């Protein structure tokens, strides 16, 4: 809801409403990556030896 309040002030309600589905897709993908990391680290004992920046 805070996004919609800010969008109303700027006149970008349409853009804000279109961004909601992308938010849930991104959240799902982030959860999958986190689950994979937990499985690899804790259950399989394969720790990450090097961490890479995302860019």
């Amino acid at each position: 809801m805070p996004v919609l309040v800010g969008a109303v002030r700027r006149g970008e309600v349409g853009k804000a409403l279109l961004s909601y589905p992308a938010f849930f897709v991104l959240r799902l993908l982030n959860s999958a990556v986190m689950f994979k990391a937990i499985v690899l680290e804790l259950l399989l004992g394969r720790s990450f030896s090097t961490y890479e920046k995302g860019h």
Side-chain angles (χ1 to χ4, degrees), residues 1 9-10 14 16 19 22-23 28-29 34 36 41 48 52:
M1 284 317 216
R9 292 182 192 153
R10 290 187 310 271
S19 71
F23 168 76
L28 180 66
L29 290 174
M34 182 61 79
K36 179 182 174 184
E41 290 265 353
F48 296 118
E52 297 180 17

Side-chain angles (χ1 to χ4, degrees), residues 21-37:
F23 168 76
F24 292 111
V25 170
L26 183 61
R27 190 167 182 163
L28 180 66
L29 290 174
N30 284 339
S31 297
V33 171
M34 182 61 79
F35 181 73
K36 179 182 174 184

Side-chain angles (χ1 to χ4, degrees), residues 2-54:
V3 171
L4 279 178
V5 171
V8 168
R9 292 182 192 153
R10 290 187 310 271
E12 298 178 338
V13 175
K15 247 187 208 183
L17 289 176
L18 286 174
S19 71
Y20 273 106
F23 168 76
F24 292 111
V25 170
L26 183 61
R27 190 167 182 163
L28 180 66
L29 290 174
N30 284 339
S31 297
V33 171
M34 182 61 79
F35 181 73
K36 179 182 174 184
I38 289 171
V39 168
L40 288 175
E41 290 265 353
L42 300 178
L43 298 180
L44 299 179
R46 292 179 16 196
S47 67
F48 296 118
S49 58
T50 56
Y51 289 92
E52 297 180 17
K53 291 175 76 174

